[in-house]
Amino acid sequence: MMALSLWSPLSLVATLLLMLTLAGAQTSSDPFIHSRAAYYPNSDDQGTDRGACGFGSFGATINGGDVSAASDLYRNGVGCGACYQVKCTNMAYCSDKGVTVVITDSGSSDRTDFILSRRAFGRMAQTTDAAASLYSLGVVDIDYRRVSCSYPNKNITIKIDENSNYPYYLAFVIWYQQGRKDITAVQLCETQNFGCKVLDRSYGAVWTTTSPPSGPLSLRMLFSGTDEDDQSWVVPINNIPQDWKAGETYDTGVQVNE
């Protein structure tokens, strides 16, 4: 009887903790928002390599080509690289899951929040025939919400822009950012004297500086959530090499899953 009297309170506590955990898991996702989406009718099946985020050819192939332009969600470039679950609402054609897209461009059409790649637009459908029906509609009602980006076995990667000019002008974009936070500030720091320089967001996801610091460069990125107090600086393991070159990519050695 003593063993039973000890076990019962512990079981109750464990059960309550489990219920709280499950309740938190069920409410951890953002609520869906109603809107409209179109697709690039004259585009390739995947995205564009000329998107306003500055991703270049990477912007056409990231996430398997399931990408999108955004209007207000572009947020002057802060929204570049963010992931959204988008599902159309016509139950005759549309699946329950929809498609997850990455923002790589800016644009709107006929009161839309998204202009999807042709591939992504069709992936909202239940079947190939249903996708053909969606294409014929051109613009559809949707529900969307922000979700975490996921790039298994990938670290955050720096791509030096082809217009960079060593050692006078440095521009780069950031690839493979996981999670649901935005990169709202970037600094470059000299690894020897730790002097740092705040970079400018030139456009989209392109960060630039004239007269960049010399030597191997340590990158600092500020990740910001929807809450004003939800901010943290991340310093990668790997540095940008002293003799960085235009067009090269550099693995930071870190990934963020927040």
Side-chain angles (χ1 to χ4, degrees), residues 8 25 32 62 74 83 106 116 125 133 163 188 221 225 248-249:
S8 297
F32 280 101
I62 186 175
Y74 178 74
C83 293
S106 172
L116 305 178
S133 297
N163 294 317
L188 274 182
M221 300 171 288
E248 292 294 311
T249 57

Side-chain angles (χ1 to χ4, degrees), residues 158-165 168-173 188 199-200 202-203 205-210 212 244-248:
I158 304 301
K159 167 65 185 299
I160 308 296
D161 189 88
E162 286 79 358
N163 294 317
S164 297
N165 181 19
Y168 307 106
Y169 172 74
L170 174 60
F172 61 81
V173 294
L188 274 182
L199 304 191
D200 299 317
S202 178
Y203 70 95
V206 180
W207 298 90
T208 64
T209 180
T210 55
W244 52 263
K245 294 179 176 60
E248 292 294 311

Side-chain angles (χ1 to χ4, degrees), residues 1-257:
M1 293 297 293
M2 183 176 293
L4 180 61
S5 63
L6 289 173
W7 173 250
S8 297
L10 290 174
S11 298
L12 178 60
V13 170
T15 302
L16 289 173
L17 288 173
L18 178 60
M19 291 173 65
L20 289 172
T21 301
L22 291 174
Q26 291 172 350
T27 59
S28 62
S29 298
D30 291 343
F32 280 101
I33 300 171
H34 188 69
S35 184
R36 286 157 57 86
Y39 72 98
Y40 289 106
N42 298 320
S43 70
D44 294 332
D45 194 48
Q46 297 178 325
T48 175
D49 59 2
R50 297 181 297 277
C53 288
F55 288 136
S57 58
F58 178 76
T61 58
I62 186 175
N63 197 38
D66 290 337
V67 297
S68 179
S71 51
D72 292 344
L73 296 173
Y74 178 74
R75 292 178 290 146
N76 294 318
V78 175
C80 290
C83 293
Y84 292 88
Q85 180 185 3
V86 182
K87 56 181 185 178
C88 53
T89 59
N90 187 327
M91 299 310 297
Y93 306 129
C94 303
S95 68
D96 293 333
K97 184 178 180 180
V99 63
T100 298
V101 296
V102 180
I103 302 302
T104 61
D105 198 3
S106 172
S108 62
S109 172
D110 193 14
R111 296 176 289 115
T112 63
D113 273 308
F114 297 89
I115 303 180
L116 305 178
S117 65
R118 182 179 176 88
R119 168 189 165 90
F121 196 84
R123 280 167 58 81
M124 292 191 295
Q126 300 173 14
T127 64
T128 302
D129 289 341
S133 297
L134 291 184
Y135 291 138
S136 66
L137 292 173
V139 180
V140 296
D141 290 330
I142 61 162
D143 292 326
Y144 75 89
R145 64 181 175 184
R146 187 160 183 182
V147 296
S148 292
C149 298
S150 178
Y151 303 106
N153 304 315
K154 295 287 186 181
N155 291 324
I156 293 174
T157 300
I158 304 301
K159 167 65 185 299
I160 308 296
D161 189 88
E162 286 79 358
N163 294 317
S164 297
N165 181 19
Y166 179 85
Y168 307 106
Y169 172 74
L170 174 60
F172 61 81
V173 294
I174 299 173
W175 292 356
Y176 300 123
Q177 174 196 345
Q178 292 194 159
R180 292 198 298 173
K181 290 187 176 181
D182 301 315
I183 297 177
T184 54
V186 174
Q187 294 181 345
L188 274 182
C189 304
E190 295 181 354
T191 57
Q192 295 180 347
N193 61 20
F194 302 106
C196 296
K197 186 172 185 177
V198 178
L199 304 191
D200 299 317
R201 186 188 294 273
S202 178
Y203 70 95
V206 180
W207 298 90
T208 64
T209 180
T210 55
S211 302
S214 58
L217 300 175
S218 175
L219 189 70
R220 300 181 73 229
M221 300 171 288
L222 181 63
F223 285 79
S224 303
T226 54
D227 189 336
E228 189 175 291
D229 297 327
D230 186 12
Q231 295 186 330
S232 58
W233 286 96
V234 174
V235 180
I237 298 172
N238 300 331
N239 296 321
I240 297 175
Q242 178 175 348
D243 57 344
W244 52 263
K245 294 179 176 60
E248 292 294 311
T249 57
Y250 300 108
D251 187 327
T252 65
V254 298
Q255 185 53 272
V256 175
N257 297 305

